[in-house]
Amino acid sequence: MMAAIGAAKAGAKVTLLEKNEKTGKKLYITGKGRCNLTNACEPDDFFGYVISNSKFLYSAFYQMNNQGVINFFEESGCRLKTERGERVFPVSDHSSDVIAALNGQMEKEQVAVWLKTTVKSLLLDQEKKMIRGVQLTDGKKLTADAVIVACGGKSYETTGSAGDGYQLAEQAGHTIKELHPALVPLIVKEEWCKRLQGLSLRNVSIALQKDKKRIYNGFGEMLFTHFGVSGPLILSASSYYVKKYDHTPVRLCIDLKPALTKEALDKRLVRDFEENKNRQFKNALDGLLPAKLIPVIVELSGILPEKRVNEVTKQERNCLTEVLKGLELTVTGTRGFAEAIITQGGVNVKEVNPATMESKLIDGLYFAGEVLDLDALTGGFNLQIAWSTGQLAGISAAQEKEREEQ
Ligand SMILES: Cc1cc2nc3c(=O)[nH]c(=O)nc-3n(C[C@H](O)[C@H](O)[C@H](O)COP(=O)(O)OP(=O)(O)OC[C@H]3O[C@@H](n4cnc5c(N)ncnc54)[C@H](O)[C@@H]3O)c2cc1C
């Protein structure tokens, strides 16, 4: 949609082909239905949140940066607000207002929107290495001076992004960097994890490690599930995990008390135990941990649950501190694309001109959005990538006819 608007504003006659019965089906579910459409960070900080190929985005981002996106939506009648972590949402908290703004702009710029229209293949002049148009699944052929492939990735297939864009790119000779579900829950080996299903932990630190190599460090909120772990902190960690280690076992270390050093935590335990001296160990941790977590921690500490706390030795307390400061899990993989916020991998950006988004292999063929090998952390950065690359692809594609006529 942003590509169509960019191209139409730049003077092109544009047709948007959408397989669904309406536009913006994925946008509708973004940000839990509120659409975190960008991030109001300092523009130069944006690249720090991009996981794959941030440099490729320089031209696109400076053509339409986060402030540009904010201005675009405000001017299109969608008022915005900035929340914690500089996340930008519509004031209404309704993603439908973001979609309405885009539909409104497309109408204003006279973009022809064809719904329930699926592109099957590209029409290519292989000899001249030029695009000629597209063929639809109903057999119809549409000719065009330029084609922008913005079919999204492979995650949440029910929204329409079923990986068609990769097939179209391959048809044009492009290579696809290996696809991985990212910003996705992690599967863990330990059986005790299941007992914690539904437990959410706030203000914890996690470290993801392969042997001695740090893959990810972070602080925030996480959640236990029947298969493993999820929540904001884990989703971020997953993107670093799949990048290099997908499906290989790595260690996840959770620091349940990151604000306390081991010494301070030991002092706290001594105090708690003194206050509860006649209680059994298993009943003396209520002040320190959520109820659901206590039996697991008791078990992992190796201290007898029925032991009176005044009999717990210093050595045993040390074991407990170790568990509290470094609860260990083994990550063995991720959940699938159906649960992934984003697809990592995609059209190889080395084969796309970053200044225009045009294919380096086929004249007049452009790419934008998640179909490219670009992905970022949560916080509005993935949509920013889609807006920036879409706008640049649109403007560049609009110049195609002029170039041809020269
Ligand atoms: C649950 C969830 C929440 C998210 N929340 C956020 C968030 O709050 N902030 C954020 O920045 N990012 C978020 N994301 C990521 C973000 O939604 C995507 O990165 C972004 O939508 C990608 O835009 P796109 O235009 O490239 O692809 P898409 O939005 O997937 O759009 C591609 C479109 O192409 C259509 N299409 C596909 N194949 C064909 C074909 N052959 N013919 C015709 N049409 C076709 C599809 O139907 C679809 O409408 C979220 C993702 C998910 C799954």
Side-chain angles (χ1 to χ4, degrees):
M1 287 189 272
M2 189 60 91
I5 294 161
K9 278 194 172 159
K13 185 168 170 274
V14 185
T15 306
L16 179 116
L17 308 174
E18 168 56 60
K19 69 155 75 153
N20 289 327
E21 66 295 349
K22 59 184 177 193
T23 54
K25 217 166 169 182
K26 181 171 275 178
L27 265 181
Y28 191 71
I29 58 163
T30 55
K32 299 197 169 109
R34 299 201 302 135
C35 187
N36 173 200
L37 72 162
T38 187
N39 191 286
C41 64
E42 283 299 314
D44 288 347
D45 293 345
F46 164 74
F47 302 98
Y49 297 96
V50 177
I51 293 180
S52 308
N53 298 311
S54 60
K55 283 194 187 136
F56 176 82
L57 282 166
Y58 284 174
S59 297
F61 184 69
Y62 287 116
Q63 170 81 35
M64 186 186 229
N65 69 11
N66 46 353
Q67 193 53 52
V69 167
I70 291 169
N71 295 342
F72 171 88
F73 281 99
E74 293 268 8
E75 284 159 16
S76 309
C78 178
R79 286 184 49 233
L80 304 176
K81 60 177 173 180
T82 304
E83 295 189 358
R84 190 170 50 90
E86 303 297 312
R87 289 161 193 250
V88 178
F89 294 89
V91 167
S92 65
D93 284 331
H94 293 138
S95 56
S96 52
D97 288 344
V98 173
I99 301 168
L102 290 162
N103 284 336
Q105 283 287 344
M106 288 202 292
E107 204 179 323
K108 187 172 152 216
E109 300 301 331
Q110 297 180 344
V111 172
V113 179
W114 294 19
L115 300 173
K116 298 186 194 160
T117 306
T118 305
V119 174
K120 185 176 166 225
S121 59
L122 300 175
L123 299 176
L124 300 165
D125 181 334
Q126 288 291 9
E127 216 165 279
K128 292 188 177 155
K129 298 279 168 209
M130 274 174 76
I131 195 85
R132 289 289 176 219
V134 295
Q135 177 154 21
L136 308 180
T137 44
D138 65 6
K140 209 178 278 166
K141 289 180 178 172
L142 301 179
T143 54
D145 300 309
V147 169
I148 304 171
V149 174
C151 298
K154 229 174 109 70
S155 58
Y156 276 70
E157 217 174 276
T158 48
T159 62
S161 52
D164 300 7
Y166 306 126
Q167 282 162 24
L168 299 177
E170 277 178 332
Q171 191 205 337
H174 282 274
T175 49
I176 306 298
K177 287 280 181 182
E178 196 177 337
L179 306 173
H180 299 277
L183 297 179
V184 65
L186 295 174
I187 299 170
V188 305
K189 192 175 85 181
E190 285 73 9
E191 279 295 310
W192 54 257
C193 197
K194 287 194 179 74
R195 281 150 58 194
L196 301 180
Q197 182 179 345
L199 175 68
S200 167
L201 297 175
R202 283 173 174 218
N203 303 326
V204 292
S205 281
I206 64 164
L208 206 60
Q209 245 168 292
K210 173 75 180 163
D211 304 322
K212 288 216 167 106
K213 202 167 163 27
R214 279 278 153 104
I215 304 169
Y216 176 81
N217 265 343
F219 173 83
E221 195 176 332
M222 62 167 286
L223 174 76
F224 287 95
T225 66
H226 63 284
F227 55 79
V229 282
S230 188
L233 201 49
I234 298 296
L235 297 187
S236 296
S238 75
S239 285
Y240 293 92
Y241 169 65
V242 294
K243 187 120 200 100
K244 279 194 174 162
Y245 301 98
D246 203 3
H247 297 300
T248 55
V250 301
R251 213 157 54 99
L252 171 65
C253 237
I254 307 167
D255 183 347
L256 296 166
K257 297 287 162 194
L260 300 176
T261 59
K262 280 187 184 164
E263 294 69 32
L265 180 58
D266 188 55
K267 274 191 192 148
R268 163 82 196 265
L269 287 174
V270 170
R271 209 177 61 221
D272 281 8
F273 286 0
E274 263 171 18
E275 282 168 13
N276 295 294
K277 58 182 159 223
N278 289 320
R279 279 210 190 166
Q280 292 180 327
F281 173 55
K282 65 176 182 188
N283 297 324
L285 296 173
D286 326 8
L288 201 65
L289 295 170
K292 212 169 188 171
L293 194 54
I294 294 173
V296 171
I297 297 294
V298 167
E299 197 174 303
L300 296 174
S301 72
I303 305 170
L304 283 176
E306 284 77 28
K307 197 167 194 175
R308 303 228 162 260
V309 283
N310 56 3
E311 291 166 9
V312 172
T313 64
K314 177 157 177 37
Q315 204 184 358
E316 284 176 324
R317 254 190 359 255
N318 284 347
C319 292
L320 177 60
T321 313
E322 290 296 328
V323 176
L324 293 172
K325 294 288 290 173
L327 184 61
E328 275 196 24
L329 288 157
T330 317
V331 173
T332 54
T334 69
R335 298 289 276 182
F337 284 106
E339 290 172 52
I341 303 274
I342 195 99
T343 304
Q344 200 172 83
V347 176
N348 188 345
V349 295
K350 289 210 175 82
E351 300 161 356
V352 178
N353 181 349
T356 59
M357 298 293 136
E358 186 173 19
S359 160
K360 289 181 184 171
L361 313 181
I362 300 288
D363 281 350
L365 175 64
Y366 294 79
F367 295 98
E370 199 175 323
V371 72
L372 286 160
D373 179 17
L374 302 167
D375 66 288
L377 292 175
T378 56
F381 305 108
N382 284 300
L383 280 172
Q384 178 66 47
I385 290 176
W387 311 132
S388 295
T389 54
Q391 159 96 350
L392 180 56
I395 292 173
S396 313
Q399 288 155 8
E400 198 63 40
K401 191 150 192 217
E402 290 165 29
R403 273 205 293 156
E404 262 178 43
E405 281 164 357
Q406 272 166 16

